[in-house]
Amino acid sequence: MPADQLRRTRIQDLLQSTDLNREVLVKGWVRTRRGNKYVQFIALNDGSGLATLQVVADAEKFPEESLKEITTGACIAVRGQLVASQGKGQAVEVQATSIEVLGTSDPETYPIQRRGADQKGISLEALREIAHLRPRTNTFGAVLRIRHALAFAIHQYFNDHGFYYVHTPIITGSDAEGAGQMFRVTTLPPEHPPRTEDGSVDFSQDFFGKQTNLTVSGQLEGELAALALGSVYTFGPTFRAENSNTARHLAEFWMIEPEVAFNDLADNMDLAEDFLRSLVKYALEHCAADLQFLNDTYDKELLGRLKFVTDNAFQRLTYTEAVEILKSAKKKFEFPVDWGTDLQSEHERYLVEKHFRKPVILTNYPKEIKAFYMKLDDDGRTVRAMDVLFPGIGEIIGGSQREEDLAKLQARMAEMHVPEDELWWYLDTRRFGTAPHAGFGLGFERLVLFVTGMTNIRDVIPFPRFPKNAEF
RNA sequence: GCUUCCUUAGCUCAGCCGGUUAGAGCAUCUGACUGUUAAUCAGAGGGUCCCUGGUUCGAGCCCAGGAGGGAGCGCCA
């Protein structure tokens, strides 16, 4: 094949190739270059995997002066022979015949230099300041590949189980979804918005002719779709304008929300558990090298924890049973446990990490501490809610069987001061062919947190959005 | 939003009781070395000690205010 018709090969594919002594073309970013006046070695990475390809440049073809621009961070295209390696660190390498520098990288100012001996390298906090370059690191390459694999596995799971992917709106006309503070969407001039006669902002002149916000949940629209298509799910961005400063919250995050007609709470738990387990299993099977790297680098118990989730049933118990366990626990809690109040992080962590030592599904919470749309239990005190609690993460899933009875739903809305007129379309589902149904929300980044073993949610999304930060 | 800790070279960090010209490792640059792979060895350059004000003969260090960051909590996914 003529050289100029040669097509680029992904480095990951080359490293697994047994078809040696052929001409190849690779393109990627230089991790390191080292050597002497006779031979130079370039470690090249193209993002197709964690491992680098060793490119060998002999001095007879490449005098050292010609390699000046091949510095850490530079982008190069290499033609050469794929050969068995003479060195010990790799099975194959590329003996270069030509190297083209596609993009230089000033070594004095490129911030991601190779990590040296006896030092920790750039901290995750420092990398957050250079989020535009951090995908070049081993850690973020691994996290982003795993994030992709999990997203793919989610679609595959639902497709294989007869679910339809519905696209719920990102801009919503409702501000009564009950899931938190919303970001306003408007095209009105911020300095001098049009006013009505009573002095308030005249949103009838806004783009949509009314107040609009970014969605905090696709659930209500998901319920509409489930009551037509049977089994559906959403997977999209979600926005919360809460001033949350924690390692588990983002202002912009991705949420997966399955909703299934005719499912009750037990079906909902079965779905959540099987779903989570299959996603973890997918990652273990398809991201072995990246997970091994994260296990070795950050958390020696990561792989063990993931395998534990795939091999063991989650512990299911009611809120009432959990309160009894916590009350009889010897541990002194900062906040007292009492039936009717929501569990604190320390209580959830005790149940998951100390008492059961496995993922826990808590159900049947007091109605006062849960959303208006959850189905009332027969005792009139609790609702058919479920929270899935994971070690290190806390609440990874929140869901419920929904109240399908129109009168009971309206009564709950009145109790909780949810305006009926804004949700007339939602109530219509209970007027026309209502049906039992259930669903839940899974925070995608919390799933990625658990699977990667990262400890801050800002490190599992490419460009995190959180209070006081919308750079990049 | 609350509590608490932190901010010194590109990165990771020392810096004693407030006392001369600010320290290390790595990175970067220069040189040496015939296959390296956390390469090795020698040398060099590199500082708004987060900002503002104060105390003091003298502040990286003490005090006040501000900014930014981490951890924990609340809200939740």
Side-chain angles (χ1 to χ4, degrees):
Chain A
M1 183 186 283
D4 49 26
Q5 287 182 21
L6 198 57
R7 297 182 65 176
R8 178 176 83 95
T9 310
R10 294 164 77 250
I11 283 172
Q12 206 56 28
D13 297 335
L14 277 190
L15 291 174
Q16 287 159 13
S17 176
T18 52
D19 180 16
L20 302 184
N21 303 309
R22 61 186 164 109
E23 186 176 30
V24 295
L25 171 62
V26 292
K27 299 179 184 182
W29 293 269
V30 175
R31 285 290 173 81
T32 64
R33 175 166 67 88
R34 58 178 167 264
N36 51 51
K37 73 174 82 160
Y38 302 96
V39 60
Q40 295 271 317
F41 303 94
I42 300 161
L44 196 66
N45 185 277
D46 67 357
S48 59
L50 195 66
T52 56
L53 174 72
Q54 174 153 286
V55 174
V56 184
D58 284 329
E60 47 191 76
K61 286 201 188 83
F62 303 96
E64 205 174 335
E65 198 61 25
S66 74
L67 302 176
K68 271 274 188 284
E69 290 187 324
I70 300 177
T71 58
T72 297
C75 184
I76 61 174
V78 180
R79 287 171 194 277
Q81 289 288 121
L82 182 68
V83 297
S85 178
Q86 297 174 34
K88 288 208 171 79
Q90 57 284 318
V92 299
E93 64 193 18
V94 166
Q95 191 75 40
T97 52
S98 76
I99 300 176
E100 181 188 358
V101 177
L102 301 176
T104 59
S105 175
D106 178 9
E108 296 279 4
T109 51
Y110 182 61
I112 307 177
Q113 294 295 341
R114 168 175 99 268
R115 178 207 296 218
D118 300 323
Q119 63 127 3
K120 296 176 191 169
I122 310 176
S123 65
L124 293 170
E125 291 80 14
L127 285 171
R128 261 172 235 153
E129 307 285 318
I130 50 170
H132 58 307
L133 293 173
R134 65 181 184 171
R136 304 269 189 99
T137 64
N138 281 337
T139 296
F140 284 90
V143 167
L144 293 177
R145 281 186 294 270
I146 291 166
R147 184 181 165 102
H148 158 79
L150 288 168
F152 181 81
I154 285 162
H155 288 298
Q156 186 174 68
Y157 179 92
F158 285 130
N159 188 61
D160 289 351
H161 288 76
F163 285 65
Y164 298 106
Y165 179 27
V166 297
H167 298 91
T168 51
I170 290 167
I171 298 172
T172 171
S174 160
D175 65 357
E177 291 165 14
Q181 288 291 111
M182 304 180 96
F183 288 102
R184 173 78 43 82
V185 174
T186 181
T187 56
L188 295 178
E191 297 302 327
H192 302 289
R195 304 277 178 178
T196 59
E197 283 180 12
D198 67 9
S200 60
V201 174
D202 184 5
F203 287 102
S204 71
Q205 293 188 48
D206 205 347
F207 186 90
F208 294 105
K210 62 181 295 195
Q211 282 192 51
T212 51
N213 300 288
L214 294 177
T215 183
V216 293
S217 165
Q219 180 199 312
L220 301 187
E221 291 91 346
E223 286 187 50
L224 314 185
L227 294 176
L229 295 167
S231 299
V232 303
Y233 70 106
T234 73
F235 186 175
T238 311
F239 308 87
R240 305 265 168 99
E242 306 283 355
N243 189 14
S244 294
N245 294 288
T246 82
R248 299 181 310 281
H249 291 84
L250 291 165
E252 176 182 296
F253 65 100
W254 288 66
M255 191 152 62
I256 300 104
E257 295 175 288
E259 194 72 36
V260 183
F262 318 116
N263 266 12
D264 63 15
L265 185 60
D267 299 325
N268 208 29
M269 286 190 276
D270 290 344
L271 175 64
E273 190 169 340
D274 184 58
F275 179 54
L276 284 171
R277 189 173 292 126
S278 77
L279 296 179
V280 173
K281 198 173 169 202
Y282 185 93
L284 283 169
E285 286 170 1
H286 291 82
C287 307
D290 287 326
L291 286 172
Q292 188 69 52
F293 169 78
L294 295 172
N295 184 84
D296 297 345
T297 308
Y298 294 101
D299 182 355
K300 300 280 189 286
E301 291 166 15
L302 173 62
L303 287 172
R305 203 160 56 236
L306 296 182
K307 282 174 188 139
F308 185 86
V309 166
T310 64
D311 295 346
N312 291 279
F314 297 180
Q315 183 70 41
R316 301 182 184 187
L317 70 162
T318 65
Y319 166 89
T320 303
E321 290 164 339
V323 167
E324 282 163 14
I325 289 170
L326 291 165
K327 277 189 161 176
S328 60
K330 287 176 185 164
K331 181 178 165 58
K332 286 283 170 222
F333 295 110
E334 187 183 345
F335 296 92
V337 183
D338 202 21
W339 200 98
T341 62
D342 210 352
L343 299 181
Q344 306 286 317
S345 287
E346 58 173 339
H347 306 140
E348 295 179 350
R349 274 211 311 276
Y350 176 84
L351 291 170
V352 173
E353 293 163 17
K354 294 278 189 317
H355 189 81
F356 291 115
R357 294 181 166 278
K358 58 165 75 171
V360 168
I361 308 181
L362 284 182
T363 62
N364 305 91
Y365 284 77
K367 66 177 180 180
E368 286 78 13
I369 58 174
K370 287 294 180 183
F372 71 90
Y373 47 72
M374 296 188 179
K375 184 174 175 64
L376 203 58
D377 280 313
D378 294 337
D379 64 7
R381 301 178 69 204
T382 57
V383 290
R384 291 188 196 170
M386 66 169 204
D387 283 0
V388 181
L389 309 178
F390 262 34
I393 311 293
E395 185 179 344
I396 195 168
I397 277 179
S400 70
Q401 185 175 342
R402 318 306 187 187
E403 182 57 75
E404 81 272 21
D405 184 280
L406 177 63
K408 288 180 183 170
L409 182 60
Q410 286 172 318
R412 288 290 292 138
M413 289 172 76
E415 276 176 33
M416 301 182 78
H417 307 294
V418 177
E420 269 193 40
D421 54 345
E422 281 195 36
L423 295 176
W424 62 271
W425 46 272
Y426 180 69
L427 291 170
D428 261 8
T429 58
R430 275 63 170 173
R431 290 192 178 96
F432 308 117
T434 189
H437 61 288
F440 59 81
L442 166 66
F444 184 51
E445 282 76 17
R446 289 190 181 175
L447 173 71
V448 182
L449 256 190
F450 179 74
V451 173
T452 59
M454 294 284 99
T455 52
N456 193 311
I457 202 164
R458 297 166 187 181
D459 295 331
V460 298
I461 186 169
F463 301 102
R465 296 285 177 261
F466 50 93
K468 298 278 185 336
N469 195 298
E471 195 65 57
F472 310 108

